[in-house]
């Protein structure tokens, strides 16, 4: 996460003009939900960061009947409603932000991610449908295709003249994309690729837009030409005619009812020797000449694969953003109820509201604090995209860093969504089980986020590999400043100076020492992991067994890293907050976040001699106190999320 | 949890004759799923405990098309299907187990709980519908009514001639049952009670059987006679005529779509001065004479309330049992998939199945081990009911102990269901998100179990109060043998002798020392809580604030207690297993359970000086090893659950 100030953003296509910065300046749109005084607004600005104006604009535009979540018990009706929502979204024009200005786009990459994040306010089927169409399908055409594809498709897909699929996952291969088994064999006699599904295990599955609406798919397949395999490549393959009938050679089956996201038409696709022209290959990183000669600027097949996949990193970032937004909606619902719902009485006979109970505070407030932390971290990640365009290819090391951060935050944010929305459901009791409360929908819809766009457990291992690589670079450079240097030099230096001396007890209420504890843990875990991996490689035992034994350590290293990243992002977020009163509240939220994080992870600090038993026991009391300190601010802290009131309940049944 | 051997059970009404003990002896029914050799069968017998024969019989009877879960996207069709299932269940006759033999029942209380547990194999809407009809409604008539109610209603409700509701929860009052606001005012001029809902906040809500099917409700209301209030009592109030139309004065609205359990017709009920005869009062514990004179054998209103509520404890036990069964189904699904699904390759090119990855083992195997522990604890709890009849009223202290155990295990089992089914869903990736996998249904249906039949957080506080009372008794009796004496004397004595000496490091692989660590923790936490509560009561500060501040300690005490109870139940279960090979596997499962529990709770042992950092770090490796040791047994360990194959998937869409 970069803490350097983002460069001024180019604004030629910025749809939110400066004069629209606040909701109040748009008299024709309903105002965002009432704030309790100016502090909640300052909190909102702090959370929103660089793209506050765009977020405010979206809050107004999405505060609309068509966007309000409805109850759908009929999947077909839900799909129709979702497609209708997609057309309304297209009319707003925000999908253009993520595309090349030469083809009708706005080259505003961070803005495009913010749009998906804000779509997390509503029915997540619409967010996912939009993500499939413009993020995955459109994003693949943009990132993996070349001018001919862009000219033919970008405007059409932005305007929904062409609906598309992103056909990567197969029945037998999900996370292991390199192991996909669909084939694309080049036939020089007709200058065509033959796309084929060898068996049921190689059928594409869970593909959004496939079961009902998609015309065209970006299909990932093993490319073979002149008898040689070149690994996974992406090609455009038609699925349906303009009239909606499936084309010959393609067989599509409906994935049927799902836990959630039933407004999205996921399906399974099989290809029976489907022929597509040579130009169907998305040829940015590799091409096949008419005679079948394969060429690529990237020499190794592995490097080509990772470059291809890396170009799709934005999808992962949008999932994290939308998950964070859905979490915020759930917290608004649960905390408002906790402030209103009485249960049992004080000895003096007065009924007590739920949020006055410490146990209830402990269920919701640390989750609220972590939501703030993750929100700051996400904003920072997105801000890192500012200044890039749809055509930008980042330098290798920056790209790798972005991928690691995107993977880690996606995992952290989506797991946080799952546990927090669940906690909100339970905190609302039976009311939280009723569909009208929105909580069941939020819970079920976000559930799959932890395993799609990269399974979280696999993503954490990617983070760990990134940390190991950074560690290796550091050791090789004899750079003693430490692992985190390139990412957080200023903060790290500060943390380094306050690391408790051996035998000295840390002051767990001091922000710099909190950070130092997390930095120290991360370094220690990564160093231990590096030793373990080195040892495994040098041993003459089973290489798989050795790597496998290190898996829990890899996950621990990634988690330690992500905890540190979140606290740093929080600190940076507060530093950037110009409103003193809001910053003071943010400090209290950060206190609770840091203390509850240390409480949760105290076993590590204890067993590694970083903290005494007395300090660890003290953490319990400190978290209790931090909950109590935040309780009076709970309402303004959720008001700051700016969730329009009509999005806090289910609007009604679908017609 | 009693470890004394259960007395021989009376078997006059036992529907499972001894010769039916194993599935193979019933050639007309499809066999329970194939077991891998005799050990899985011995494991199943060990898990099933005293009621193995009944469980086997139910496995055969429920291995049927009508019981197989289907996909329902239409709630009305789902309700129709569920009611049909209820009629098929009634035809099997097992509902009679829980009722008085004088009125057509079988007086087999533990057997009746086992039936609900086994219903957890199928669509949980049916289990809940059955639980509402026979457990809650029927159970209230049985336990709170007297002969006139039994004669009029028990046969009719067993045979589904009368469908009933259990109308306790109100919009404004859920956990705080004493605070209910529906009134039942006695009118001596007509010898009637007037049942009334004063405002929307006092409407009954989430009431099963209310929205569509119920004829009669047991309504909990504040009883008032001769101008005096006597607290919450239960009365029978008609809801619908025999033709199904709602009776005058009653207003019922549908709670609508829910996160799950949509085969159950939950509704909201309001009463507008509805008159019912004096005999509608379920008068086992209190009566109102014709002239309005109130009488009760139980003097204090609070004691009467708790006696009334306590009589309903079996409902709570069945929820725990059904949640445990649903968890088992999910584990079978996820572990079978983990054994079959390959992902990535070894360096030698061979694909690796998911369950060979340590990270995957860690997701599922400790949860499997805890499922075994909870299963033994549940069987023990149920066995404690053996020999009781529908009319049995336990001695006060036994009743209180039963209530505490039931509350604690219900909380532990239902939370375990929520987290484990979720882990299974994630472990199955996208496939686990598809309705056909059963996991979404299991997840969504069991979700509400953590907050109905007693909110888990409230239940844990009940457990803590029970522990405090036991502690107080002990201190007052100068009984130095310790808290757990009456419950687990043998085990506790053993544990006491192996408590590590100060400065001596515990051997965390030794079962007796594992137990000693948990006993020691429980005692320490309860003693600390007792000091804190005493201090709070003696202080002159705000009594509410002092109690509130102790809430997290109450939850911690209850959790420490439940952890110990589970390990003890596991040890007892192994001791009772007569098959040496099965007992050896169970020891390995118990190893993983105990080690992963200590790993999870290691912060407490570290911060209280019970364990060194080196020992705590060693736990990580020991859990890894225990996972590896169990991996070859994973399949037989889930086969032992005896889930019929057709219940492992969704049978198809409803017609």
């Amino acid at each position: 996460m970069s803490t350097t100030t983002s460069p001024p953003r180019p604004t030629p296509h910025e749809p939110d003009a400066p004069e629209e910065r606040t909701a109040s300046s748009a008299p024709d749109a309903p105002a965002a939900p009432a704030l309790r005084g100016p502090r909640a607004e300052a909190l909102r600005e702090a959370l929103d960061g660089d793209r506050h104006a765009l977020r405010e604009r979206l809050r107004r535009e999405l505060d609309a009947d068509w966007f309000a979540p409805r109850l759908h018990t009929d999947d077909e009706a839900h799909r129709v409603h979702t497609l209708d929502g997609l057309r309304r979204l297209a009319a707003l024009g925000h999908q253009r932000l993520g595309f090349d200005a030469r083809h009708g786009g706005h080259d505003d990459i961070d803005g495009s991610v913010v749009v998906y994040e804000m779509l997390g306010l509503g029915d997540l089927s619409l967010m996912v449908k939009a993500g499939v169409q413009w993020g995955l399908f459109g994003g693949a055409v943009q990132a993996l295709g070349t001018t001919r594809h862009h000219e033919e498709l970008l405007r059409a897909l932005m305007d929904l003249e062409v609906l598309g699929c992103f056909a990567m996952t197969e029945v037998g291969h999900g996370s292991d994309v390199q192991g996909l088994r669909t084939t694309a064999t080049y036939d020089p006699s007709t200058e065509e690729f033959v796309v084929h599904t060898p068996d049921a295990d190689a059928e594409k599955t869970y593909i959004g837009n496939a079961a009902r609406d998609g015309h065209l798919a970006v299909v990932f397949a093993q490319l073979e030409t002149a008898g040689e395999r070149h690994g996974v490549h992406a090609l455009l393959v038609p699925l349906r005619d303009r009239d909606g009938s499936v084309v010959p050679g393609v067989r599509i089956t409906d994935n049927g009812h799902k836990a959630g996201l039933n407004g999205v038409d996921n399906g399974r696709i099989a290809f029976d020797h489907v022929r597509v022209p040579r130009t169907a290959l998305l040829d940015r990183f590799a091409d096949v000449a008419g005679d079948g000669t394969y060429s690529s600027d990237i020499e190794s097949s592995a490097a080509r694969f990772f470059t291809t996949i890396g170009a799709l990193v934005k999808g992962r970032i949008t999932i994290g953003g939308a998950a964070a937004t859905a979490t915020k909606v759930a917290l608004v619902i649960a905390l408002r109820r906790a402030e209103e719902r009485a249960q049992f009485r004080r000895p003096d006979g007065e009924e007590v509201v739920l949020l006055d109970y410490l146990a209830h505070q402990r269920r919701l407030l640390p989750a609220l604090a972590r939501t703030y932390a993750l929100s700051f971290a996400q904003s920072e990640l997105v801000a890192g995209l500012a200044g890039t365009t749809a055509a930008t290819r980042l330098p290798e090391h920056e790209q790798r860093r972005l991928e690691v951060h995107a993977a880690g935050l996606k995992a952290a944010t989506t797991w946080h969504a799952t546990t927090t929305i669940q906690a909100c459901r339970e905190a609302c009791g039976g009311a939280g089980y009723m569909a009208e409360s929105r909580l069941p929908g939020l819970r079920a819809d976000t559930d799959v986020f932890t395993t799609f766009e990269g399974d979280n457990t696999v993503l954490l291992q990617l983070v760990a590999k990134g940390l190991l690589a950074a560690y290796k670079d550091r050791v090789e450079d004899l750079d003693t400043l430490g692992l985190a240097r390139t990412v957080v030099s200023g903060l790290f230096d500060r943390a380094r100076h306050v690391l408790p001396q051996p035998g000295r007890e840390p002051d767990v209420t001091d922000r710099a020492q909190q950070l130092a504890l997390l930095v120290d843990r991360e370094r220690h875990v990564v160093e231990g992991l590096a030793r373990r991996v080195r040892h495994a490689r040098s041993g003459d035992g089973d290489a798989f067994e050795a790597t496998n034994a290190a898996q829990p350590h890899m996950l621990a290293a990634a988690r330690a890293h992500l905890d540190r990243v979140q606290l740093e992002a929080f600190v940076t977020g507060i530093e950037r907050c110009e409103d003193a009163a809001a910053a003071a509240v943010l400090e209290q939220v950060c206190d609770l976040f840091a203390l509850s994080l240390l409480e949760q992870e105290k076993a590590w600090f204890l067993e590694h001699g970083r903290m005494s038993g007395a300090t660890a026991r003290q953490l319990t009391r400190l978290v209790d106190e931090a909950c109590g300190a935040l309780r009076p601010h709970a309402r303004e802290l959720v008001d700051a999320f700016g969730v329009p009131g009509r999005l806090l309940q289910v609007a009604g049944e679908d017609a």
Side-chain angles (χ1 to χ4, degrees), chain A residues 541-558:
Chain A
D542 183 328
F544 168 75
E545 288 309 328
T547 318
N548 197 25
Q551 260 194 340
H553 301 267
M554 294 185 79
L555 302 183

Side-chain angles (χ1 to χ4, degrees), chain A residues 45 55 66 114 137 150 219 261 267 351 374 472 558 570:
Chain A
E45 277 187 52
R55 286 188 171 90
W66 67 268
V114 165
F137 169 65
H150 297 165
V219 175
L261 298 177
E351 282 197 317
L374 283 164
K472 193 159 157 279
F570 208 143

Side-chain angles (χ1 to χ4, degrees), chain A residues 144-328:
Chain A
L144 307 180
T146 50
T147 306
R148 61 181 169 210
H149 306 109
H150 297 165
E151 280 180 354
E152 191 187 328
L153 283 172
L154 289 185
R155 281 177 198 275
L157 68 87
M158 279 189 260
D159 294 342
L160 302 182
E161 286 157 24
V162 173
L163 287 164
C165 302
F166 182 82
M168 181 183 271
T169 297
E170 294 177 358
V171 172
H173 288 83
S175 296
D176 182 11
V177 177
Q178 282 186 281
L180 293 179
R181 293 178 49 252
T182 300
T183 53
T185 312
Y186 186 66
D187 176 357
S189 71
T190 59
E191 299 209 358
E192 287 171 323
F193 286 100
V194 182
V195 178
H196 186 62
T197 305
D199 53 47
D201 215 46
E203 289 185 15
K204 300 294 180 184
T205 192
Y206 318 137
I207 310 301
N209 260 348
R212 187 179 185 276
D213 297 329
H215 303 110
L216 192 63
V218 171
V219 175
F220 289 79
Q222 300 288 351
L223 189 147
E224 185 175 328
T225 175
E228 216 178 319
R229 288 231 162 172
H230 296 276
V232 172
H233 290 64
L235 303 91
L236 292 164
V237 183
L239 297 182
R240 286 185 179 82
D241 289 335
R242 301 301 307 173
D243 70 0
S245 50
V246 176
V247 301
V250 174
R251 196 182 71 245
I252 299 179
T253 41
D254 199 314
N255 278 133
H257 195 67
K258 304 182 292 283
L261 298 177
N262 282 302
V264 183
D265 54 327
N266 294 90
R268 192 161 154 160
I269 313 174
F271 302 100
D272 181 10
H273 300 93
V274 174
R275 289 183 166 261
V276 294
R278 189 174 65 89
T279 51
L281 180 69
L282 295 176
D283 58 347
R284 185 174 184 195
F285 301 122
D287 201 6
V288 172
D291 66 355
T293 309
Y294 181 86
S295 63
S296 172
D297 289 347
I298 307 167
E299 223 163 279
S300 96
S301 150
R304 206 157 48 230
F305 171 75
F306 287 112
T307 304
T308 303
I309 297 299
L312 306 169
V313 67
K314 273 166 281 176
R316 216 160 257 174
I317 303 178
T318 63
I319 290 297
T325 303
T327 309
K328 289 173 183 170

Side-chain angles (χ1 to χ4, degrees), chain A residues 501-585:
Chain A
Q501 300 303 307
R504 287 280 299 279
E505 204 48 31
D507 175 359
V508 290
T509 65
D510 177 79
R511 187 79 71 239
Q513 292 195 47
Q514 292 166 346
L515 200 46
L517 283 164
L518 296 182
V519 168
D520 178 41
R521 176 173 70 131
E522 177 182 353
R523 178 164 41 196
H524 188 278
V525 175
V526 173
E527 281 174 358
L529 177 63
R531 268 197 310 279
R532 183 173 280 271
V533 169
R534 214 164 36 234
H535 187 73
R537 284 189 186 142
S538 67
D540 44 25
D542 183 328
F544 168 75
E545 288 309 328
T547 318
N548 197 25
Q551 260 194 340
H553 301 267
M554 294 185 79
L555 302 183
R559 291 205 176 92
H561 170 74
L562 288 164
D563 286 342
R564 191 262 300 165
V565 162
Q566 287 168 56
L567 182 55
E568 276 176 4
F570 208 143
V571 170
T572 308
I574 297 174
E575 281 170 359
R576 293 180 62 178
C577 175
E578 289 167 9
D579 181 285
V585 176

Side-chain angles (χ1 to χ4, degrees), chain A residues 257-500:
Chain A
H257 195 67
K258 304 182 292 283
L261 298 177
N262 282 302
V264 183
D265 54 327
N266 294 90
R268 192 161 154 160
I269 313 174
F271 302 100
D272 181 10
H273 300 93
V274 174
R275 289 183 166 261
V276 294
R278 189 174 65 89
T279 51
L281 180 69
L282 295 176
D283 58 347
R284 185 174 184 195
F285 301 122
D287 201 6
V288 172
D291 66 355
T293 309
Y294 181 86
S295 63
S296 172
D297 289 347
I298 307 167
E299 223 163 279
S300 96
S301 150
R304 206 157 48 230
F305 171 75
F306 287 112
T307 304
T308 303
I309 297 299
L312 306 169
V313 67
K314 273 166 281 176
R316 216 160 257 174
I317 303 178
T318 63
I319 290 297
T325 303
T327 309
K328 289 173 183 170
V329 175
L331 282 166
V332 180
I333 293 166
L335 280 162
R336 285 196 179 191
R337 183 176 168 85
E339 276 215 322
E340 287 157 12
R341 165 88 172 184
Q343 194 158 278
F344 298 104
R345 290 171 189 277
R346 287 176 192 264
D348 61 14
E350 201 187 323
E351 282 197 317
V352 182
V353 298
L354 283 175
L355 197 53
D356 284 332
Y357 288 106
L358 180 53
H360 211 80
Q361 292 169 12
R362 277 222 169 223
R363 283 168 106 161
L364 297 177
L365 297 181
L368 175 68
R370 188 183 275 269
T371 304
Y372 266 73
L374 283 164
S375 195
F376 283 119
Q378 175 78 12
S379 290
E380 232 177 38
L381 177 66
V382 174
L385 298 171
T388 63
T389 70
T392 303
R393 197 169 152 197
L394 292 172
E396 188 60 22
H397 72 282
E398 275 188 45
Q399 173 68 23
R400 230 194 305 149
R401 211 172 65 200
L402 178 69
E403 286 170 25
V404 167
H405 282 160
L409 262 187
K410 185 269 186 185
T413 314
T414 55
W415 265 327
H416 177 66
T418 294
T419 55
T420 302
I421 300 172
Q422 179 65 23
C424 290
R425 195 309 276 165
E426 294 183 25
C428 290
Y433 197 64
M434 302 297 125
E436 65 180 3
S437 77
R438 280 211 72 188
L439 293 170
L442 288 167
R443 177 69 192 77
D445 288 345
T446 55
D447 191 291
V448 79
F449 289 7
T450 58
T451 55
F452 84 173
E453 289 276 334
D455 178 273
N456 281 1
T457 302
V458 175
L459 293 182
L460 288 191
Q461 294 176 63
L462 194 78
V463 172
K465 283 175 193 159
L467 295 172
L468 281 174
Y471 176 78
K472 193 159 157 279
D473 288 350
R474 171 164 76 93
V475 171
E476 284 174 0
D477 296 352
L478 291 175
D479 172 355
T480 53
L481 272 182
L483 173 75
R485 187 190 178 213
T486 51
V487 233
V488 281
S489 52
L491 284 161
F492 177 72
D493 286 348
R494 193 171 65 190
R496 192 166 61 97
H497 292 304
V498 295
L499 269 173

Side-chain angles (χ1 to χ4, degrees), chain A residues 77 106 128 226 234 364 393 416 483 530 560 615 621 636:
Chain A
H106 289 171
V128 169
L364 297 177
R393 197 169 152 197
H416 177 66
L483 173 75
T615 300
R621 183 178 54 76
E636 77 186 338

